[in-house]
Amino acid sequence: MPSEVRSPRLAVLIDADNASAKIADGLFEEIAKIGEASVRRIYGDFSHARSKAWADILSKHAIIPQQQFAYTTGKNASDIILVIDAMDLIHSGRFDGFCLVSSDSDFTRLAARIREQGIDVFGFGEQKTPESFRQACRRFVYTENLLAAPVNNQDTVVRSTSLQPPDAAVPILKKVITQMESEDGWVTLGEVGRQLANLASDFDPRTYGFRKLSDLVRKTNSFEIDEPKGRSMRIRVKPASAAAPRARNPRRRARPASASAPKT
């Protein structure tokens, strides 16, 4: 009997000072899509009021707290301990990926170092997270997208919860399609999704108010869509429309054809 294929083993390391406890449920649901959260550790000073919210839910998600008292103001000892633990876990050789939960750019070098080992890094942080950290991760998820949000019948996120309007996704989608080789301009949506993950680590349809890439593409109204029966959905960029003729100024009266030249 063949052995069951095991999900990728992940080490989840949370910076309590730079992550809200409100994301906990959504965070572990998202991580479950990637693999198994074998290690779950959180770093911070849990004697401080700002970390109390995390302390209240540690047992719910089986998160192991790594207490670090703030002996000196301005020195973040929790970050140092997180990095030390990450390096120990890397060299154990037991993990297929790391999930770094923080909006702090100080972890950019750590993410890069882990990837140098051939191990995937998945970042989770707020939209304000510096680009350096976002791009150092294989994939970066905005924690605003992990907060619970109601959905309508079209499975789209309520517009008030989105971070950007759908039209803001058009440039990156067009860039991806342009880079893909296609004689007639048609590309499958699945290929677009894979290329997006390589080009923009933080791309996520939820950022624009939709759970599915297909719903986002339709909403932009900037792409032709082909859905052949029994085959994958294809899209291509709509051709540029002809420029509309300039409207005539109604206030300007046409000069009569019979008008004579002005007298000198």
Side-chain angles (χ1 to χ4, degrees):
M1 182 176 178
S3 59
E4 182 181 353
V5 177
R6 183 165 184 167
S7 300
R9 293 182 176 180
L10 306 173
V12 181
L13 308 179
I14 304 171
D15 175 11
D17 293 335
N18 285 285
S20 170
K22 295 178 181 179
I23 69 167
D25 291 342
L27 172 67
F28 285 99
E29 287 178 8
E30 191 75 14
I31 292 174
K33 300 175 185 177
I34 305 170
E36 175 189 346
S38 300
V39 167
R40 306 179 181 199
R41 299 180 185 175
I42 187 168
Y43 301 79
D45 181 1
F46 299 99
S47 65
H48 197 285
R50 66 184 177 186
S51 298
K52 186 180 185 302
W54 277 110
D56 292 341
I57 63 170
L58 295 180
S59 60
K60 178 180 180 180
H61 295 284
I63 308 171
I64 305 302
Q66 304 296 308
Q67 170 66 30
Q68 182 59 50
F69 293 101
Y71 295 112
T72 305
T73 303
K75 301 293 184 180
N76 197 338
S78 297
D79 289 0
I80 298 174
I81 301 301
L82 189 155
V83 172
I84 293 174
D85 278 5
M87 299 308 296
D88 286 343
L89 294 170
I90 289 173
H91 293 299
S92 73
R94 296 184 291 118
F95 298 95
D96 303 299
F98 280 73
C99 298
L100 302 180
V101 186
S102 178
S103 303
D104 191 343
S105 63
D106 289 347
F107 294 112
T108 299
R109 186 65 187 97
L110 173 61
R113 180 65 183 84
I114 295 173
R115 294 191 72 180
E116 287 173 3
Q117 290 292 117
I119 302 174
D120 289 332
V121 178
F122 303 93
F124 298 83
E126 296 178 3
Q127 193 179 24
K128 67 180 182 180
T129 304
E131 185 177 10
S132 59
F133 181 34
R134 301 200 312 265
Q135 296 305 321
C137 301
R138 177 188 172 187
R139 183 174 172 231
F140 192 89
V141 177
Y142 292 133
T143 52
E144 290 91 341
N145 290 329
L146 302 180
L147 298 174
V151 297
N152 61 24
N153 293 333
Q154 286 72 44
D155 197 32
T156 55
V157 181
V158 175
R159 289 290 304 124
S160 62
T161 66
S162 62
L163 304 180
Q164 297 184 39
D167 290 347
V170 172
I172 185 67
L173 290 170
K174 287 185 176 180
K175 184 176 181 179
V176 165
I177 294 174
T178 301
Q179 290 180 350
M180 299 172 68
E181 296 182 2
S182 173
E183 294 182 358
D184 55 5
W186 288 104
V187 294
T188 65
L189 190 65
E191 292 174 336
V192 172
R194 287 188 289 273
Q195 186 63 18
L196 276 168
N198 295 329
L199 184 63
S201 63
D202 58 348
F203 184 88
D204 189 333
R206 292 173 295 185
T207 300
Y208 307 93
F210 298 87
R211 295 196 180 279
K212 297 179 181 179
L213 179 59
S214 57
D215 291 333
L216 170 60
V217 168
R218 290 189 181 94
K219 185 63 176 180
T220 63
N221 199 34
S222 297
F223 304 92
E224 295 181 348
I225 297 175
D226 178 34
E227 298 183 85
K229 186 176 181 180
R231 297 175 60 186
S232 301
M233 175 179 169
R234 302 191 306 165
I235 65 173
R236 71 176 176 182
V237 179
K238 283 185 177 180
S241 58
R246 178 181 292 182
R248 190 172 182 179
N249 188 344
R251 295 184 178 180
R252 184 177 180 181
R253 296 180 180 178
R255 186 175 180 180
S258 59
S260 59
K263 297 181 179 179
T264 58

